Amino acid sequence: GFVSSGRKSGGFSGSSNGVFEYCIANVDVASTSGSSAGIASFGNPTVRFCANLGDIKGKNGVGGIIGMNGHVESCYNMGKIAGEDVVGGIAGRSNDIKNSYNVGEVSYLESTNNKGAIVGNKPSGGSIENCHYLEGCIAESNSFGEPQTAVFMRSEEFVNMLNSDTDVWVFDEGNINDGYPVFGNTQFGIEEILTEFPDMVMVYPNPVVDN
């Protein structure tokens, strides 16, 4: 699938202050003049236990999970992220992110200072805790998040590190996520969800324009 808008584009929401849990975005998202994200692109959403698999493109405020502002906990991004300014693998701009990881490639305009493998820009008072990214996924990143090798990110040691004080993550024994950690307290892995419930989420019309 494909979602496109001139302004705010999101796999689940263009703009929201709501709570998103256990959402898997498997669509490509693009915005020609605004923010874009796999889950919610704008507002002040709280996003937990969510994943993005699609490629995300936008102008300002581009991220795998959220675009501009909001809170992220225990999420991951696998898709390619491309934007001009305020670009990050998990979020373009976010108040706080914790226990999350990014594997997807992140690209940006050379002139921007707001780019990162996890988050492009963080407001003062926010926090980035226990966040990790695949080394080499970005040409140049800010200091938020820790680079890790693919081998380590596919290990049980990395699962334990991500869990911190939770039990959200489990080792990808079935290789449903290319060996990278998956959510343990869901009934189905990503492949099972897409296979067993192909019509679980429908977007109409497709592609979406504007709203």
Side-chain angles (χ1 to χ4, degrees):
F2 181 72
V3 177
S4 177
S5 170
R7 298 180 62 191
K8 305 176 184 73
S9 299
F12 281 82
S13 174
S15 180
S16 175
N17 295 324
V19 177
F20 298 83
E21 294 183 333
Y22 298 110
C23 298
I24 297 176
N26 193 32
V27 294
D28 294 338
V29 178
S31 172
T32 57
S33 63
S35 61
S36 58
I39 304 298
S41 71
F42 195 80
N44 191 31
T46 296
V47 185
R48 295 188 288 258
F49 325 128
C50 293
N52 173 62
L53 310 181
D55 294 340
I56 312 297
K57 296 181 180 180
K59 187 171 184 180
N60 188 313
V62 185
I65 302 299
I66 60 177
M68 291 290 283
N69 305 319
H71 313 268
V72 178
E73 178 182 351
S74 299
C75 293
Y76 67 90
N77 171 66
M78 303 293 289
K80 294 181 179 179
I81 311 300
E84 295 184 10
D85 191 21
V86 193
V87 185
I90 296 295
R93 175 183 170 92
S94 176
N95 298 344
D96 54 82
I97 307 173
K98 67 177 183 178
N99 304 340
S100 299
Y101 73 87
N102 171 54
V103 172
E105 175 185 324
V106 180
S107 59
Y108 47 84
L109 281 185
E110 187 175 344
S111 58
T112 182
N113 292 319
N114 301 302
K115 77 275 189 175
I118 296 296
V119 61
N121 179 280
K122 179 187 74 65
S124 60
S127 63
I128 310 298
E129 301 178 15
N130 194 27
C131 291
H132 309 267
Y133 60 91
L134 179 64
E135 62 179 12
C137 73
I138 189 171
E140 182 182 2
S141 179
N142 53 32
S143 61
F144 301 118
E146 297 293 333
Q148 308 290 355
T149 66
V151 171
F152 179 71
M153 293 182 74
R154 291 184 171 108
S155 70
E156 293 195 32
E157 183 179 354
F158 182 56
V159 171
N160 294 333
M161 180 182 292
L162 273 181
N163 272 324
S164 183
D165 56 352
T166 72
D167 60 354
V168 172
W169 301 96
V170 296
F171 180 69
D172 183 20
E173 292 184 0
N175 200 39
I176 62 174
N177 193 41
D178 196 25
Y180 295 100
V182 291
F183 302 124
N185 49 355
T186 55
Q187 293 183 342
F188 298 92
I190 292 172
E191 282 189 351
E192 286 80 0
I193 289 176
L194 298 177
T195 301
E196 298 294 330
F197 306 105
D199 300 322
M200 183 172 63
V201 177
M202 297 184 68
V203 178
Y204 181 84
N206 189 2
V208 174
V209 177
D210 292 333
N211 294 305

